[in-house]
Every structure is written in C-alpha cells, then in structure tokens.
C-alpha cells in the first residue's frame, strides 16, 4: 500500500482508508466525523494549519503503522535477542500506544450508540478486558520472561525448567487474549457496520480489526518462532 493522500483527498475518506489518521486530525481539531466531507486543503485552511505540515505528519504516521511485516519467516533465521527486541519495539510499544489512543473512541461509541446497539456495551467491556490482559501480559514478558529467554539463548539460565514453565504460561495467556478478540468479533458480527453508523463508529470498528491483526502477528512471532526453540 502506497501513500496516496493529497490536498484534494476528503477528510472522511482519509480516515476511512487510514484509521490512524484520526489521531492526527483530533490533535489538530480537524472534524473528520460530521464535517469530514471537505478536502484536506480546506480543513487545514479552516483551522489555520499548514497543509504541507499536515501532509508530512500524515506520511510519517502512515509509514510507521503501515510498515508491517513483509516476510515473517525471515525471523526463523534470527537469534532470540533480535526477535525479542523486534517484538518489544514493533508490537509492545505500538500496541500500548494504540490501546491508549483507541480507548476514548471505544467508550464514546458505546455511550452514544449503546442504547440502540446494546452489543456495543459488551464490545466496550471486552475491549477493556483485552486491554488489561495485554498490558499485564506485555509487562510480564519484558520484566520477567524475556530476560529468562535471553539467558536460555545464551546458555546462562540458572533454572531452565522454571523459564520453560513461564513460557508455557505466556502461551496460555495468548490463548485467552485470542478468545477475547474472538468474542469482540462475534459481538460486532465480524465488524459489520449498521446503516446508522457515524464516522467514529466506523473508526472504532476499523481500528479494532487492525488491533486484532497486530496482536495476531505479535503472537505468531512468539508462539510459532520464538517459543518453540525452548518448549518442545
């Protein structure tokens, strides 16, 4: 996917095609929901913003979040230290940021539309359960298990059996996180939008689905490439 946003791109279309743009628009007070049917150039002018600066910022965000794995199998030939550092930088930090930025949108949609779409109330509950689970899980990985895996890799582990036991626990936590994502997908009917869905509603569904994809790749690198090196 290439960066195709221009001055003539409609604000709403930018967010529909690239949901992460909503954070930048929100920061610059560009209305992408009710007032999104105008070109980016007009939105910038209305808010006294530099169009060139907005386009440059959009490109930076695009490159950061669209530069996903091109060939995950390359990691099968990488050492464990490299994989761990890659996971922390490209999945832990990115997931933490996205969970923080997405939270208010999820809450808002559930509050505003929950009366007529009660499934959004359940979606909101599941999202915050997933958020807590994933944040706790990533903290455990970085503070406890990843250092032990590096010791296993270097042959310096004082207690390999305990390290393997903790790796197995991580795999079980992955299963639980995956089940929560499955429930979110089920309650939203595979992220199917109702006819009355507003821009923020669409944004939440798009970013939840993207978060699901990010999490699945995160888990793939660990469950299918890193962990099998130490758990038989």
């Amino acid at each position: 996917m290439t960066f195709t946003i221009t001055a003539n791109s409609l604000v709403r279309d930018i967010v529909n095609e690239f949901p992460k743009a909503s954070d930048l628009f929100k920061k610059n007070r560009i209305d992408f929901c009710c007032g999104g049917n105008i070109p980016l150039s007009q939105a910038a002018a209305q808010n006294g913003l530099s169009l060139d600066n907005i386009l440059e910022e959009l490109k930076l965000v695009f490159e950061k979040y669209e530069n996903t794995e091109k060939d995950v199998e390359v990691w099968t030939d990488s050492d464990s230290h490299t994989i761990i550092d890659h996971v922390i930088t490209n999945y832990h930090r990115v997931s933490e940021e996205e969970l923080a930025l997405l939270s208010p949108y999820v809450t808002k949609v559930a509050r505003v539309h929950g009366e007529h779409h009660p499934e959004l109330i359940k979606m909101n509950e599941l999202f915050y359960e997933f958020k807590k689970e994933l944040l706790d899980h990533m903290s455990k990985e970085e503070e406890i298990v990843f250092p032990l895996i590096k010791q296993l890799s270097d042959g310096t582990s004082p207690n390999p059996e305990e390290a393997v036991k903790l790796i197995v626990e991580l795999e079980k936590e992955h299963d639980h996180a995956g089940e929560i994502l499955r429930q979110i997908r089920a309650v939203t009917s595979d992220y199917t939008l109702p006819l009355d869905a507003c821009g923020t509603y669409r944004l939440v569904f798009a970013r939840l689905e993207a978060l699901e994809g990010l999490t699945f790749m995160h888990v793939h690198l660990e469950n299918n490439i890193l962990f099998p090196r130490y758990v038989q």
Side-chain angles (χ1 to χ4, degrees):
M1 184 177 178
T2 57
F3 184 78
T4 59
I5 299 171
T6 69
N8 294 322
S9 300
L10 296 182
V11 170
R12 67 179 184 187
D13 291 342
I14 294 172
V15 174
N16 286 342
E17 296 172 15
F18 178 38
K20 283 296 297 181
S22 60
D23 294 326
L24 178 61
F25 288 158
K26 183 178 179 182
K27 182 184 76 171
N28 288 284
R29 297 181 180 176
I30 294 176
D31 182 1
F32 58 85
C33 187
C34 300
N37 192 29
I38 59 173
L40 180 62
S41 57
Q42 184 178 340
Q46 287 179 350
N47 290 274
L49 302 169
S50 165
L51 175 62
D52 289 341
N53 288 347
I54 292 294
L55 283 168
E56 184 61 28
E57 287 189 71
L58 282 169
K59 187 174 182 180
L60 289 173
V61 175
F62 175 87
E63 291 173 348
K64 179 179 179 181
Y65 287 95
E66 291 298 313
N67 186 25
T68 54
E69 304 289 352
K70 303 304 180 194
D71 181 10
V72 296
E73 294 309 315
V74 70
W75 297 105
T76 60
D77 298 322
S78 299
D79 64 82
S80 296
H81 286 256
T82 300
I83 295 174
I84 287 170
D85 292 343
H86 175 76
V87 166
I88 291 174
T89 300
N90 294 279
Y91 292 95
H92 285 198
R93 296 291 86 82
V94 174
S95 295
E96 287 168 352
E97 180 180 56
E98 179 61 358
L99 287 167
L101 293 171
L102 183 55
S103 294
Y105 291 120
V106 174
T107 299
K108 178 181 179 180
V109 167
R111 184 182 69 248
V112 173
H113 299 282
E115 181 178 355
H116 299 293
H117 296 282
E119 68 275 9
L120 296 177
I121 304 298
K122 183 62 176 178
M123 176 199 73
N124 186 60
E125 295 173 357
L126 289 167
F127 170 78
Y128 280 98
E129 179 184 358
F130 174 78
K131 179 180 178 179
K132 182 180 186 307
E133 289 279 335
L134 188 59
L135 290 177
D136 289 347
H137 174 82
M138 293 189 296
S139 176
K140 178 179 176 181
E141 285 187 334
E142 291 187 35
E143 296 176 13
I144 302 173
V145 187
F146 281 172
L148 294 178
I149 291 178
K150 288 184 176 181
Q151 289 179 342
L152 287 174
S153 175
D154 297 338
T156 60
S157 175
N159 192 341
E161 293 79 10
E162 180 64 21
V164 170
K165 178 182 176 182
L166 289 171
I167 292 172
V168 172
E169 287 181 7
L170 290 182
E171 291 179 326
K172 292 179 180 177
E173 291 174 8
H174 286 163
D175 290 342
H176 187 228
E179 172 58 21
I180 298 173
L181 289 173
R182 187 198 67 76
Q183 291 180 41
I184 293 176
R185 180 169 280 279
V187 79
T188 58
S189 300
D190 290 323
Y191 300 109
T192 300
L193 291 161
L195 294 176
D196 62 342
C198 67
T200 305
Y201 203 133
R202 294 173 182 275
L203 173 74
V204 165
F205 274 28
R207 288 177 66 165
L208 281 174
E209 192 163 22
L211 179 63
E212 177 190 76
L214 180 72
T215 304
F216 285 169
M217 186 59 69
H218 174 183
V219 171
H220 168 75
L221 288 173
E222 294 181 5
N223 276 16
N224 300 327
I225 297 178
L226 179 64
F227 294 168
R229 298 177 178 183
Y230 310 102
V231 178
Q232 303 303 319

